[in-house]
Amino acid sequence: MRLLPLYAATAVVLSGISVQAQNTGLFDPAIKHQPKDGMVKLYGAGGPHTALKKVADVWMKKTGNKVEIIAGPETTWSKKAQTDADIIWGTSEQSMTAFLETYKTFSSDQVKPIYLRPTVIAVKAGNPKGIKGFDDLLKDGMKIVVTEGSGIANTSGTGTWEDVAGRLGKLSDVTAFRKNIVAFSTGSGASFKAFKDKDADAWITWPNWPATQKEALSEVPIETSRQVWRDLSVAVAADADPAAQEFVNYLVTPEAQALMKTEGWIR
């Protein structure tokens, strides 16, 4: 996630795509992008990083190349990424579009969607409430956590709960679901904390959280008719270390796909 104050907009064209170039509060025009340092460095929001690390560990053993994966709230790594990022990843298309406003050595025509994952319901480990699907979340007394950007942060969770709740075109579903929300948390890390702090029953999130936090969470699938899918995309800098594209190529091999699938990512 990241803060998103916007200033003057300038119209530009990237490979025939007209966009509005914004100056964000994180962009520093004094920083010179110099990524060629013998290590492939990837930057992005937390979530995909655990699966990406599994793939990177195997690839490093195979090739001897070095990979560093830097993840978390964008404010913690933005300056460094503007200096030496070979690759940035987006946890949704809207997240990647927002990243491109700050990391101006990357452009829209470099973005490549490589994986998808569906929204799921994360519940307490062992599912003590016996939640079977979305309709159970509409019952009186349910305590639900949702993830939002809150107007100040860049996160893949923004709007997902509304998309799921409104998927069937029933305003009553959105209304009933919203009444049960106990936390609109800014980012997935904050949502996980709120889930525990508020003793919540459910959290609309992505499969990687139950997969990597098994001591606290179990996964309940959302019905296919309500599922919302968002992608994992990557962009490789034009001046990246030569091995950066090789790593991206490996990320979509059958071997890598098997590792990514352990956390819900599919092609």
Side-chain angles (χ1 to χ4, degrees):
M1 67 180 186
R2 69 177 175 90
L3 300 180
L4 291 171
L6 301 180
Y7 303 102
T10 303
V12 297
V13 175
L14 297 173
S15 296
I17 303 172
S18 179
V19 300
Q20 287 295 111
Q22 308 283 354
N23 291 323
T24 72
L26 294 175
F27 174 62
D28 186 345
I31 296 177
K32 184 176 181 180
H33 188 231
Q34 296 177 307
K36 290 184 179 177
D37 54 10
M39 178 178 289
V40 179
K41 295 182 179 177
L42 294 80
Y43 291 84
H49 69 289
T50 48
L52 290 173
K53 189 176 186 307
K54 291 177 183 178
V55 177
D57 287 345
V58 173
W59 189 71
M60 285 190 287
K61 288 179 181 178
K62 282 178 171 289
T63 65
N65 291 317
K66 297 179 180 179
V67 177
E68 183 178 3
I69 295 171
I70 303 95
E74 187 181 5
T75 52
T76 65
W77 49 257
S78 181
K79 297 295 185 185
K80 196 167 185 300
Q82 290 176 64
T83 301
D84 62 13
D86 296 289
I87 301 168
I88 55 173
W89 78 76
T91 51
S92 66
E93 284 296 324
Q94 56 91 11
S95 295
M96 177 60 88
T97 300
F99 280 155
L100 294 178
E101 302 296 350
T102 294
Y103 310 102
K104 298 181 184 296
T105 52
F106 296 85
S107 62
S108 183
D109 60 350
Q110 295 168 325
V111 175
K112 182 178 180 181
I114 58 171
Y115 284 96
L116 284 168
R117 86 294 204 193
T119 45
V120 299
I121 303 168
V123 299
K124 292 176 184 175
N127 193 10
K129 282 287 185 77
I131 295 170
K132 296 179 180 179
F134 179 83
D135 285 348
D136 288 335
L137 305 185
L138 304 182
K139 296 176 180 177
D140 289 342
M142 281 291 180
K143 297 164 66 178
I144 305 168
V145 171
V146 299
T147 304
E148 280 290 352
S150 305
I152 59 169
N154 178 12
T155 173
S156 60
T158 297
T160 53
W161 73 267
E162 179 184 6
D163 291 344
V164 171
R167 194 75 169 162
L168 303 186
K170 295 180 180 179
L171 183 61
S172 59
D173 287 349
V174 179
T175 302
F177 185 91
R178 198 181 199 285
K179 284 175 61 178
N180 288 339
I181 296 174
V182 296
F184 295 85
S185 299
T186 306
S188 292
S191 295
F192 182 46
K193 184 177 186 300
F195 181 86
K196 294 183 291 183
D197 291 348
K198 292 184 175 292
D199 192 33
D201 302 307
W203 168 26
I204 300 294
T205 186
W206 308 111
N208 57 279
W209 281 96
T212 59
Q213 302 292 336
K214 293 181 179 180
E215 76 290 345
L217 302 173
S218 292
E219 178 185 320
V220 174
I222 291 176
E223 298 91 318
T224 302
S225 60
R226 287 193 183 271
Q227 280 180 340
V228 172
W229 294 75
R230 290 189 175 174
D231 72 11
L232 169 65
S233 61
V234 294
V236 180
D239 55 350
D241 273 291
Q245 186 58 54
E246 295 173 20
F247 179 64
V248 168
N249 293 343
Y250 179 72
L251 267 174
V252 297
T253 62
E255 185 173 34
Q257 288 181 48
L259 293 170
M260 296 292 290
K261 192 174 182 179
T262 63
E263 298 188 17
W265 298 97
I266 65 171
R267 284 175 61 79

